[in-house]
Amino acid sequence: VWSLTQKLSDTTAMKVCVGILVLVCMISFLEIAIEDRSVDVTLHQLTSIVSYEHAQSGFTGTTSTDYSCDLIDLFILKVKGAFKHNVLYVRLDGWTFYDFDEGGCLRPPMQDTTAAALNRKESLQDFSHLRETDIIWACLPRESCLSGGGAIVSAILVDISLE
């Protein structure tokens, strides 16, 4: 009787172990890769708000940018607090609103070209010794970031090297 009970418990234990291994393998295959798109979403939101403000006020660079800077500061605090990332550069609707080296939100912002924005990205990346895998470079329109051609309306550069 004892040998029969032992054989039954051994086969049951083996089945449980195999079942657990199969379950672990299945979970690893079914795991969903989550891509953080918060920088892209924020870029869209900030660009919409700033574009609307520019259209309403006839923005010339001397108009008050307090609201825009407050929103950018909130984004920077969120990124720094939640993810331990540093925002290095923010360009919205053709104007540079934030530059890490300048110490924060620029008042008034600087109007620049796509070439100037790309040069600033390269210089910040080189100065900080960051690889392409250490940054998030989000642009609008998105194709201008991917292909490297076309006008960049808005862009955000984030240092994710501490991730």
Side-chain angles (χ1 to χ4, degrees):
V1 172
W2 289 112
S3 94
L4 179 62
T5 306
Q6 185 173 0
K7 283 185 181 184
L8 285 175
S9 63
D10 286 345
T11 58
T12 303
M14 182 63 80
K15 289 177 185 177
V16 168
C17 289
V18 169
I20 290 173
L21 287 174
V22 168
L23 185 62
V24 167
C25 290
M26 284 180 51
I27 288 174
S28 66
F29 285 122
L30 298 175
E31 187 175 328
I32 298 171
I34 298 172
E35 183 181 350
D36 181 15
R37 307 266 310 169
S38 60
V39 173
D40 291 318
V41 170
T42 302
L43 180 62
H44 280 276
Q45 291 171 339
L46 288 174
T47 299
S48 296
I49 291 167
V50 169
S51 297
Y52 178 77
E53 279 188 350
H54 290 178
Q56 294 299 312
S57 66
F59 188 77
T60 61
T62 58
T63 314
S64 174
T65 56
D66 291 340
Y67 182 63
S68 302
C69 283
D70 288 346
L71 292 175
I72 292 167
D73 288 340
L74 282 172
F75 167 65
I76 290 167
L77 286 173
K78 177 72 174 174
V79 167
K80 189 174 221 91
F83 303 111
K84 308 290 188 266
H85 299 163
N86 288 320
V87 177
L88 301 177
Y89 180 78
V90 177
R91 179 181 197 251
L92 302 170
D93 200 28
W95 295 78
T96 297
F97 275 83
Y98 179 87
D99 193 316
F100 185 77
D101 286 346
E102 300 294 327
C105 200
L106 305 177
R107 297 171 201 241
M110 296 183 313
Q111 190 170 22
D112 60 8
T113 63
T114 296
L118 291 171
N119 287 340
R120 190 66 189 131
K121 175 210 176 233
E122 294 299 324
S123 66
L124 283 167
Q125 190 175 350
D126 290 344
F127 179 74
S128 302
H129 306 290
L130 298 171
R131 299 171 301 204
E132 285 295 322
T133 56
D134 293 337
I135 62 168
I136 295 174
W137 174 244
C139 302
L140 285 179
R142 188 165 171 78
E143 298 78 37
S144 60
C145 256
L146 300 175
S147 66
I152 296 175
V153 175
S154 298
I156 294 179
L157 178 63
V158 180
D159 170 5
I160 60 170
S161 61
L162 297 178
E163 194 169 66

